[in-house]
Amino acid sequence: MTSPDSAAALGPATGSPAAVGPAALRPRLPSPLQTVEDERFARRGLRLLLKRDDLIHPDLIGNKWRKLEPNLRAAAGRTIVTFGGAYSHHLRATAAAGRLLGLPTIGVVRGHELAGQPLNPSLSRCAADGMRLRFIDRSTYRRKSEPDVLATILRDVGVAYVVPEGGSNSRAVQSCTALGQELRGHADVVVVACGTGGTIAGLAAGLGPGQRALGIPVLKGGFLTDEIRALQEQAFGGRRGDWSLDDRFHFGGYARTTPELEAFARDFEDRHGLPVERLYVAKMLYGLVTLAEEGAFARGTTVAAVITGRPFP
């Protein structure tokens, strides 16, 4: 975006004030931390915790709350413009925030070929929550952070506050440090699914000495390390915390699943009574179980899995 911070705020903050501020939505913070018994970990001398960020708020779920909340405050009543693919959880959360707070929202969707076609369930929910959807071609979408391209996209919007794809900017990263702080003293390794990298960038910075964060990217391509470094540079002036990524568990890319992953998610639900979101959480849990079976964690290690979302109806 044109600013590394909030993306861009175009024009003075003269939009209509939101009906309520984010704090009035009564988030459940800190989110619960649950111990679960799972023989796949117990037989290797590991303790498994679930950090239930999916219980923070019924509409602004998990890391979406943590990343959106500071940007909602910064928007100061302006129209929020943001970006995502056809199955973006971020678009859906932003649309819900707009409905709850009385903020107008515009979602710029990757894929001009989707215009005029029936909306999928995710985009239908966005529209039902009042988000205006604009479809742009994939080439332009890739260049959306270039100032001239962004200006063209926003030409007819007027006064607006722009939030980047996935909600990951320096405000979001700084907000996500609270997730790490809530886990201080509770786990040796914290595992989280990664889309745009903002959550792990803040999480790692918030953890204490001797703790480390492990990210499971849900997109293929191996580009996320540089993105996280850039986000930490913007938020903190340099790298913070001990973090690493394991790129093996994307199952073909974002919004893609396989019968194997589906079977794993159903089994985890049966074992622990936890509704498992498929695009992020299932991949993270699959990767975590695989790593445990590979002996990636020493006996006596406590591992916390961040449950960043839940299945959408």
Side-chain angles (χ1 to χ4, degrees), residues 13 49 73 101 126 132 145 157 182-183 208 269 272 278 290 293:
L49 308 176
R73 286 189 285 105
L101 298 174
C126 290
R132 291 164 51 199
S145 61
V157 174
E182 290 171 23
L183 285 162
E269 290 173 334
H272 302 299
R278 297 317 199 245
T290 300
E293 292 172 343

Side-chain angles (χ1 to χ4, degrees), residues 72-86:
L72 293 170
R73 286 189 285 105
R78 288 170 284 197
T79 297
I80 292 178
V81 177
T82 194
F83 303 83

Side-chain angles (χ1 to χ4, degrees), residues 147-224:
D148 57 335
V149 175
L150 180 60
T152 299
I153 292 171
L154 299 175
R155 184 168 18 193
D156 302 324
V157 174
V159 176
Y161 179 89
V162 181
V163 179
E165 183 176 24
S168 291
N169 57 14
S170 61
R171 282 194 172 96
V173 171
Q174 290 163 356
S175 177
C176 286
T177 60
L179 173 58
Q181 292 164 357
E182 290 171 23
L183 285 162
R184 286 187 178 183
H186 295 290
D188 303 298
V189 181
V190 182
V191 186
V192 65
C194 300
T196 52
T199 301
I200 192 172
L203 162 65
L207 292 173
Q211 294 180 294
R212 65 182 176 95
L214 174 61
I216 306 296
V218 301
L219 293 84
K220 63 181 179 179
F223 60 88
L224 201 54

Side-chain angles (χ1 to χ4, degrees), residues 9-44:
L10 302 184
T14 56
S16 300
V20 294
L25 301 181
R26 301 181 182 275
R28 184 180 183 182
L29 290 170
S31 60
L33 186 62
Q34 300 177 347
T35 301
V36 295
E37 299 297 328
D38 192 311
E39 71 274 11
R40 295 171 293 188
F41 293 84
R43 66 173 174 259
R44 292 171 174 82

